[in-house]
Amino acid sequence: MVKEAGQREKAEHKINRLFTANYGKWLGYAVRHNLNSNDAEDIIQSVVLRILEKKDSLILLPDNELEAYIMESIKNAIKNSLTRTKQFDSLQEEFFPSEESAEEIVLTDLEYSDIKEAVRKLSEVQRTIIYMNYYQNIEVSQIAKELDMTDNAVRSYKSRAMKMLRRIIADKNIEKRG
């Protein structure tokens, strides 16, 4: 028992040492991939916290392999963040075009109320997932943890919610034209 506690402390120390030694390099990598420094810091910190949670299974890795594992985790987190941002931007662009005429502004206002109405038709879980993912920019894995669900369940709820929103809004647009 004491030996295990000592190993955990050793693993924590190793991870903290790698964090201190490589933080600047990791931050630079994240910023070079179009993240602002605050988002980059958040990603690095969340990855290191997840690594610390797994420290018992990573204790046997040599420093260079653990460093590579952390870097790969940071790369994946950055990729996920950029994908979510891209999805949000395309959704935002779809609902709120950048160059609007007066007529488009009025139509956008009508569509916005339609969107609000459509969102109200979603289940509470679907609304929560859409809000957390698109407006709070929270990763699917984190949403799953917070809602005590699997990642696949969150993705499924999100997918069904988006299909339902598209269908409701399309039906509204047909009603308006007809």
Side-chain angles (χ1 to χ4, degrees):
M1 186 75 161
V2 174
K3 187 176 182 180
E4 286 179 22
Q7 285 180 328
R8 278 193 210 106
E9 191 174 302
K10 185 178 176 184
E12 245 177 71
H13 178 70
K14 182 192 288 192
I15 293 167
N16 286 331
R17 184 172 36 77
L18 287 171
F19 175 78
T20 303
N22 293 290
Y23 180 77
K25 177 173 74 174
W26 295 337
L27 184 63
Y29 178 85
V31 170
R32 282 192 305 277
H33 285 81
N34 298 324
L35 289 176
N36 68 45
S37 59
N38 288 335
D39 290 344
E41 289 173 357
D42 289 345
I43 287 172
I44 292 167
Q45 289 174 359
S46 70
V47 167
V48 171
L49 288 174
R50 279 182 278 164
I51 298 294
L52 283 168
E53 289 172 2
K54 297 179 183 180
K55 67 181 174 258
D56 294 341
S57 61
L58 301 171
I59 184 74
L60 299 176
L61 289 178
D63 282 6
N64 62 338
E65 289 181 26
L66 182 57
E67 182 181 343
Y69 178 78
I70 294 170
M71 185 65 198
E72 194 63 31
S73 298
I74 289 170
K75 286 178 184 179
N76 289 336
I78 290 168
K79 181 180 171 188
N80 291 341
S81 175
L82 293 173
T83 300
R84 275 193 322 279
T85 302
K86 186 176 176 183
Q87 288 171 346
F88 180 75
D89 289 346
S90 67
L91 182 67
Q92 193 172 24
E93 183 68 29
E94 180 180 335
F95 289 124
F96 305 103
S98 54
E99 295 181 23
E100 296 178 316
S101 66
E103 183 181 351
E104 289 172 323
I105 291 171
V106 171
L107 289 174
T108 300
D109 287 341
L110 292 173
E111 288 173 5
Y112 181 70
S113 67
D114 292 342
I115 293 168
K116 285 172 48 177
E117 182 182 329
V119 168
R120 282 190 207 109
K121 292 181 181 181
L122 298 175
S123 71
E124 185 176 338
V125 172
Q126 288 173 321
R127 280 194 309 270
T128 300
I129 290 170
I130 294 298
Y131 179 77
M132 292 173 80
N133 190 240
Y134 287 105
Y135 295 99
Q136 292 182 321
N137 207 23
I138 299 174
E139 292 180 33
V140 167
S141 60
Q142 185 61 35
I143 294 171
K145 284 181 187 176
E146 289 185 29
L147 298 181
D148 195 29
M149 302 171 82
T150 65
D151 289 7
N152 286 338
V154 170
R155 284 187 197 93
S156 179
Y157 274 107
K158 178 182 159 187
S159 175
R160 284 190 216 128
M162 293 307 293
K163 285 178 186 173
M164 183 184 288
L165 289 173
R166 285 185 198 104
R167 190 186 72 236
I168 292 168
I169 292 168
D171 290 347
K172 281 286 185 187
N173 287 336
I174 291 170
E175 284 176 19
K176 286 179 187 176
R177 286 186 216 135

